[in-house]
Amino acid sequence: MQNTWLSKLLTPAGKLYSIYQNQRRKNFNSKAWHPDCFVISIGNIMSGGSGKTPFCLYLAELLKQSGKKVGISHRGYKGSLENTPTIISDGKQILYKAMTCGDEAYLIASRLPEIPVVVGKQRCASVSLLLATFPDTEIVILDDAFQHLSIARDLDFICFDAKLGIGNGKVIPAGYLREPIKNMPLSSVIVINYKDNEMGFTSGEEWWSYFPQEILHCRIKGKGFIDTKDNLYTAEEIKSKRCIMVSGIAHPESFEHNLEQDGISWLHHFRNPDHYAYSDMKEINKLYNICSKYKIDYILCTEKDLVKLQIYSILKDKLRALRLQTECADEKKLLDLIKERMGK
């Protein structure tokens, strides 16, 4: 969002919302509960996608490989367990379906099969349950939690999309910011996420140059496409096929851009709202009929969509989801930061 006439018109509303967010942080500062473990929050200050979930997957796996006992807390957004703190993965198996625990939480549990995952928007109750069930947990990662202030954290990772940046620098509804930039703690770490095709990790003076916080540069890149059995296919295997796209994400244009970079074309993109449920059987039958009529080889989707669409047997053979992975430009620096904060 640029500084358009609409943005200027909405600026007073944005300032009122900023006051509310500032007061909210002041109210929580003295009340936040700190569990008996090291707490990492991964979140964003911008509305929409910023690469939080790929970074959460990357960081959790990195910490596990370094020998840490990790657990993950997720809100379970739009899942039926959102209001009920529940262990959805015990580090051995996923205990609930995607529609029950939420698409992002299910995706995290499926990508990190050896790490326990708890859902529930009441983070204190959820983390208490996680630690009671897995008392040897050393680090809890709060996914999508920068605005969840009931739990004190030892380290905040705040994710930004390298291209979107801070938009026009205004708070919603006048801009994309969820709260003022000055609300980012000086002790937090800023994660700049680049798409696969973007040049380099840095390119001189950029929008983040004046941030006093520690900066990490990461790249989110496509690893290939998976089917419902987690078999991996290369872009080369997909690009010669007749495809349609289906997505329910914050920025569907970024999904299209990923496919374009791989030289993949499609006949039509069915765009849905973020966290779309795919619960209407008429819609599922419509997709199936389109595939039959137009001899579609594959329905291309994101992994977030796959976990919900794969329950429909008539679509299973057609589904191929883009798998994304994150890499940090300075992985040693990232691990050293965490060890330093942990005092180890």
Side-chain angles (χ1 to χ4, degrees):
M1 184 182 288
Q2 302 301 315
N3 282 305
T4 62
W5 66 268
L6 180 59
S7 174
K8 292 176 182 177
L9 182 66
L10 293 172
T11 295
K15 289 181 178 179
L16 285 174
Y17 192 63
S18 296
I19 293 171
Y20 163 74
Q21 289 292 352
N22 291 339
Q23 189 59 48
R24 182 171 172 267
R25 283 198 172 268
K26 287 179 183 178
N27 291 341
F28 270 103
N29 277 344
S30 60
K31 300 176 182 177
W33 168 68
H34 197 298
D36 189 23
C37 66
F38 191 80
V39 179
I40 293 174
S41 166
I42 297 173
N44 63 358
I45 200 169
M46 299 289 290
S47 58
S50 59
K52 298 186 303 296
T53 299
F55 184 75
C56 176
L57 293 168
Y58 164 72
L59 182 62
E61 183 63 33
L62 187 65
L63 290 171
K64 182 177 76 69
Q65 290 175 359
S66 68
K68 299 299 182 184
K69 298 287 187 181
V70 181
I72 296 176
S73 163
H74 193 283
R75 176 172 175 165
Y77 185 62
K78 289 199 173 181
S80 58
L81 292 174
E82 189 175 357
N83 294 308
T84 308
T86 307
I87 302 291
I88 66 158
S89 170
D90 60 6
K92 297 176 182 177
Q93 60 180 331
I94 302 175
L95 306 172
Y96 296 90
K97 294 181 179 179
M99 297 301 293
T100 305
C101 57
D103 52 13
E104 286 181 347
Y106 186 94
L107 172 58
I108 289 169
S110 63
R111 288 280 298 271
L112 301 170
E114 298 179 9
I115 294 177
V117 180
V118 66
V119 299
K121 67 180 181 180
Q122 300 299 327
R123 296 293 181 121
C124 291
S126 297
V127 172
S128 294
L129 174 62
L130 179 70
L131 295 178
T133 310
F134 305 97
D136 61 342
T137 300
E138 299 172 90
I139 299 175
V140 168
I141 297 176
L142 309 175
D143 186 62
D144 194 10
F146 184 61
Q147 281 75 37
H148 292 273
L149 305 176
S150 60
I151 294 187
R153 61 287 311 271
D154 300 287
L155 180 55
D156 265 303
F157 287 102
I158 304 174
C159 296
F160 286 87
D161 178 272
K163 191 172 183 179
L164 178 61
I166 60 171
N168 61 10
K170 294 183 178 181
V171 174
I172 53 176
Y176 288 118
L177 286 168
R178 294 181 176 184
E179 52 187 304
I181 284 291
K182 64 184 178 74
N183 285 5
M184 297 191 304
L186 291 175
S187 60
S188 60
V189 177
I190 307 301
V191 178
I192 312 295
N193 284 315
Y194 298 75
K195 298 296 191 302
D196 193 15
N197 64 297
E198 291 168 343
M199 295 297 292
F201 281 104
T202 60
S203 54
E205 291 294 315
E206 299 286 0
W207 55 265
W208 61 79
S209 299
Y210 67 91
F211 285 169
Q213 292 88 351
E214 197 77 53
I215 306 283
L216 287 173
H217 297 273
C218 295
R219 190 186 305 283
I220 302 174
K221 55 193 299 185
K223 187 179 179 182
F225 294 80
I226 59 165
D227 61 17
T228 57
K229 296 179 180 178
D230 211 39
N231 297 312
L232 190 65
Y233 299 79
T234 66
E236 286 297 319
E237 293 176 278
I238 301 292
K239 66 193 301 184
S240 61
K241 305 295 184 180
R242 289 175 63 84
C243 302
I244 57 173
M245 292 175 64
V246 178
S247 68
I249 55 176
H251 297 298
E253 63 278 0
S254 67
F255 182 31
E256 293 181 357
H257 196 59
N258 282 327
L259 299 190
E260 287 172 349
Q261 293 303 307
D262 284 330
I264 296 170
S265 59
W266 59 91
L267 296 180
H268 186 72
H269 185 180
F270 293 91
R271 294 183 173 199
N272 298 299
D274 197 14
H275 300 283
Y276 191 65
Y278 301 104
S279 56
D280 187 349
M281 198 61 206
K282 289 182 180 178
E283 181 180 12
I284 301 303
N285 286 327
K286 178 183 176 182
L287 284 174
Y288 175 77
N289 291 333
I290 287 172
C291 289
S292 298
K293 181 177 180 180
Y294 296 101
K295 295 181 171 56
I296 300 299
D297 296 301
Y298 296 138
I299 300 172
L300 305 181
C301 62
T302 71
E303 285 194 84
K304 211 165 81 169
D305 300 297
L306 180 67
V307 298
K308 291 171 286 190
L309 288 168
Q310 66 184 3
I311 66 172
Y312 299 105
S313 58
I314 60 174
L315 299 182
K316 268 192 171 184
D317 292 340
K318 299 288 185 183
L319 294 170
R320 297 292 184 271
L322 177 64
R323 170 150 289 176
L324 297 174
Q325 64 179 11
T326 293
E327 62 178 28
C328 183
D330 194 341
E331 198 168 273
K332 183 180 183 301
K333 179 181 177 181
L334 170 58
L335 284 172
D336 287 346
L337 274 169
I338 295 172
K339 290 177 182 176
E340 179 186 330
R341 298 292 175 91
M342 293 183 77
K344 297 180 181 180

